[in-house]
Amino acid sequence: MADTKREIERKYESDDAALPDLTRVRGVASVRDRGVTHLDATYHDTADLRLAASSVTLRRRTGGADAGWHLKFPVAPGVRDEIRAPLSDTLPDELAALIRSRVRDRDVRPVVRLRSDRDVRHLLDDQDRLLAEVSVDTVHAERLTGEGGEARWTEIEVELADDGDPDFLDKVEKRLRKAGVRPSASASKLARALAETDPESESASESSAHEGAPGTPPATAPEAAPRHKHRPRPDGTPVTAGDHVLAYVRAQHDALVELDPAVRQDVPDAVHRMRVATRRLRSTFRSFRGVLDRTVTDPVSADLKWLATELGADRDQEVLAERLTQALGRLPADQVNGPVAERLAAWSEARHHGAHHQLLAVLDSRRHLRLLDTLDALLADPPLRKKAAARPDKVLAKAVAKDFGKLSRLVEHALELPPGTERDTALHEARKKTKRTRYAAETAAPALGGPAEEAVRDMKALQGLLGDHQDSVMARRTLRELAAVAHAAGESDFTYGVLHAGEAHRARVAEEALPEAWRSISREFPF
């Protein structure tokens, strides 16, 4: 069974391996020598180093108190989440699943072996509590692929104690710097090992300095010559309309890949965030058909719609369960008849378990992995049209305005309908178009600034209003189903009726607020 640990550490190097007197660090009462530990770690990756390219490390290590398999995901500079599994000869299935969005169907094999002699010291406060662990590591790296290669170095590592104050590391660093110790040029031992054991790579050491930064694009795209020459500046700043659209597409692609492990681990809100990334991608392909060739993007959009639907089964249930649980909690005790809370909890757990199990199958499916490969290929060789080379202010603004025009027609149509099922459906369609307009404005914001940012704010406000209405529609449908089950079991259905009435009231409030909100937005919309 794997467990997760948040790891906060900093690495340093020095011209000599001696540590300064760390009792002079503020808050440190004593330094306890813990002796030398011999560590032997074999790092695994694909042949093209996909994990390393996305700042993920996978190793099998013996020696020390935490021998086993370790999988590390970047969270922020110097911060990683380490997932541990017991020592075994082969990669545990649960860890293999967590790297699938990055490695796809490629084989994972040993690439680097690191043998280290770790001289450990504990920094303790005046109550003998651990503040941080400081180690001097003498490392021997050996490349296990190609012609091989070896490297040796000594580094200093300072790891914060569990639940420690990250500011304490600043105090330690201040003392180390005064003693001539400097931050390491590489963010990890693996990055340095890959750089120093591969003499053929001129840029290896340069790229390794960036290892560990979240958001680094994974090296998963197939090699292909670009169709067009429109590219961002060398520093990555978008220039053309195509640059801005592709930057937004890449951000959502990266979110799909990076959120995969969190969804598998059932981390709160992970499914929602992945679903949003999926919708943003699909909306971008539809809104910017003048920039990206739809003959290429339409098939991708179909797969994205499929994925969003699969993600929605879990997310919609999650939203409904939270909404109904909160509404039940607000009722007076004399309006709660029967085991309503228990039935609601059982319904929520059963639906979530089934949806999550299905979602895991989706993430492992050939269709989903092929979708990720297709997005890689699209970014490597983007199907840019002529307008992609144009200035972003005209092209992007026109796309936002076009989406807003379609939204206007939908809202006006919905407002003309009488309350009821037809109007509910029309408002739901308007809600979906609101999201699309918002995502188009988000794409344009880096280029257009204030007006696009204002459009995003307007669409978020409208989305909130329409979303509350749609959630009420879905909540009332669920309450009717739960009431029928309770009645069949001989339980009172009174409380379900009270909750249903409350949801109907919330829907009316949203509908009554919509005309004025829409007049304000449509009158001042910047595009």
Side-chain angles (χ1 to χ4, degrees):
M1 185 68 179
D3 62 276
T4 302
K5 178 180 182 297
R6 176 62 55 88
E7 179 184 82
I8 303 176
E9 65 180 21
R10 298 182 188 180
K11 297 181 181 295
Y12 303 90
E13 53 191 45
S14 175
D15 294 331
D16 63 65
L19 287 174
D21 180 5
L22 295 176
T23 58
R24 297 179 61 182
V25 175
R26 189 170 59 183
V28 176
S30 63
V31 177
R32 183 170 299 165
D33 191 339
R34 304 298 296 179
V36 177
T37 301
H38 304 285
L39 305 175
D40 191 342
T42 300
Y43 287 78
H44 292 64
D45 208 332
T46 59
D48 55 356
L49 302 178
R50 291 178 171 226
L51 295 180
S54 57
S55 306
V56 175
T57 60
L58 172 65
R59 73 186 179 201
R60 179 186 184 276
R61 190 169 78 180
T62 58
D66 61 347
W69 286 88
H70 305 157
L71 175 60
K72 298 186 181 185
F73 291 101
V75 176
V79 182
R80 294 186 290 184
D81 278 341
E82 180 178 277
I83 302 170
R84 299 173 177 176
L87 192 64
S88 61
D89 292 336
T90 58
L91 175 62
D93 290 342
E94 53 195 317
L95 297 191
L98 296 178
I99 60 174
R100 190 155 293 134
S101 66
R102 290 172 166 88
V103 306
R104 317 289 162 75
D105 57 355
R106 280 69 173 179
D107 290 332
V108 175
R109 60 182 183 177
V111 293
V112 168
R113 183 183 184 187
L114 296 181
R115 284 170 286 180
S116 306
D117 290 333
R118 170 164 290 182
D119 190 0
V120 179
R121 293 164 179 79
H122 283 178
L123 306 188
L124 308 172
D125 65 10
D126 55 6
Q127 297 184 43
D128 216 29
R129 294 176 301 198
L130 181 65
L131 298 171
E133 179 177 285
V134 180
S135 63
V136 178
D137 295 344
T138 303
V139 184
H140 174 206
E142 179 184 1
R143 191 79 167 229
L144 302 178
T145 58
E147 297 181 0
E150 297 187 17
R152 299 175 186 272
W153 70 87
T154 298
E155 69 179 35
I156 298 170
E157 182 176 295
V158 183
E159 181 174 350
L160 189 68
D162 293 347
D163 301 320
D165 182 357
D167 289 342
F168 177 71
L169 295 182
D170 293 333
K171 300 173 184 177
V172 177
E173 180 164 317
K174 183 177 180 180
R175 176 64 184 137
L176 292 175
R177 282 180 176 271
K178 283 184 177 181
V181 177
R182 56 191 178 277
S184 176
S186 293
S188 73
K189 289 182 175 66
L190 176 62
R192 184 166 182 173
L194 289 172
E196 296 191 11
T197 62
D198 185 11
E200 295 182 1
S201 176
E202 295 180 1
S203 61
S205 60
E206 184 176 315
S207 63
S208 69
H210 301 288
E211 198 278 336
T216 304
T220 54
E223 294 184 3
R227 290 189 182 92
H228 297 270
K229 295 182 179 179
H230 314 309
R231 288 292 180 268
R233 295 189 180 98
D235 64 357
T237 303
V239 178
T240 65
D243 292 339
H244 283 276
V245 172
L246 288 175
Y248 194 76
V249 169
R250 181 175 291 282
Q252 308 319 314
H253 159 276
D254 291 351
L256 287 182
V257 172
E258 293 164 8
L259 284 167
D260 183 282
V263 171
R264 291 175 184 273
Q265 293 177 293
D266 209 10
V267 174
D269 205 41
V271 170
H272 170 62
R273 292 164 60 200
M274 180 180 278
R275 190 184 189 194
V276 169
T278 304
R279 286 174 164 172
R280 281 176 167 147
L281 272 172
R282 185 164 176 257
S283 293
T284 302
F285 291 152
R286 292 171 64 87
S287 296
F288 297 100
R289 287 173 171 172
V291 174
L292 296 174
D293 186 353
R294 65 177 297 178
T295 63
V296 176
T297 61
D298 278 0
V300 184
S301 292
D303 282 339
L304 289 168
K305 182 179 181 180
W306 160 77
L307 178 58
T309 300
E310 296 291 348
L311 290 164
D314 199 11
R315 173 58 183 170
D316 290 343
Q317 180 276 333
E318 182 182 19
V319 171
L320 277 176
E322 182 179 359
R323 184 183 181 101
L324 294 176
T325 299
Q326 291 178 353
L328 180 62
R330 291 192 295 266
L331 290 183
D334 61 356
Q335 294 186 16
V336 181
N337 293 346
V340 181
E342 291 80 359
R343 185 166 292 283
L344 180 58
W347 167 83
S348 175
E349 178 61 27
R351 288 284 298 272
H352 173 71
H353 179 76
H356 186 69
H357 182 76
Q358 171 62 22
L359 185 52
L360 293 181
V362 167
L363 295 180
D364 287 335
S365 70
R366 183 172 297 276
R367 184 176 185 180
H368 178 245
L369 299 180
R370 186 174 62 242
L371 169 60
L372 296 180
D373 283 339
T374 301
L375 289 170
D376 289 343
L378 186 148
L379 286 166
D381 186 15
L384 299 174
R385 301 184 65 191
K386 185 176 180 180
K387 287 184 179 179
R391 289 170 45 187
D393 51 352
K394 293 184 178 180
V395 174
L396 303 185
K398 183 177 179 179
V400 177
K402 185 177 180 180
D403 279 342
F404 184 74
K406 295 177 180 179
L407 170 62
S408 297
R409 291 189 287 274
L410 287 174
V411 174
E412 297 293 347
H413 171 66
L415 291 175
E416 292 173 355
L417 296 172
T421 302
E422 189 177 357
R423 187 184 224 194
D424 291 344
T425 300
L427 289 174
H428 182 47
E429 291 301 314
R431 179 196 182 197
K432 291 191 289 185
K433 191 65 67 177
T434 301
K435 292 180 180 180
R436 179 170 159 184
T437 307
R438 171 188 169 182
Y439 300 151
E442 287 178 351
T443 305
L448 306 185
E453 292 168 358
E454 181 183 346
V456 172
R457 289 193 294 270
D458 286 344
M459 292 302 97
K460 287 179 70 173
L462 182 61
Q463 182 181 329
L465 192 62
L466 294 173
D468 193 47
H469 180 274
Q470 176 61 18
D471 289 346
S472 173
V473 172
M474 299 303 296
R476 280 176 280 162
R477 180 184 303 172
T478 299
L479 286 166
R480 288 193 293 270
E481 294 172 356
L482 290 174
V485 173
H487 181 76
E491 300 167 5
S492 171
D493 56 7
F494 170 77
T495 301
Y496 300 100
V498 173
L499 292 172
H500 189 282
E503 289 295 344
H505 174 71
R506 293 179 69 171
R508 286 195 299 272
V509 169
E511 290 187 50
E512 291 169 359
L514 180 60
E516 178 57 34
W518 176 246
R519 278 193 295 270
S520 176
I521 290 173
S522 59
R523 183 172 58 247
E524 301 177 5
F525 197 74
F527 294 99

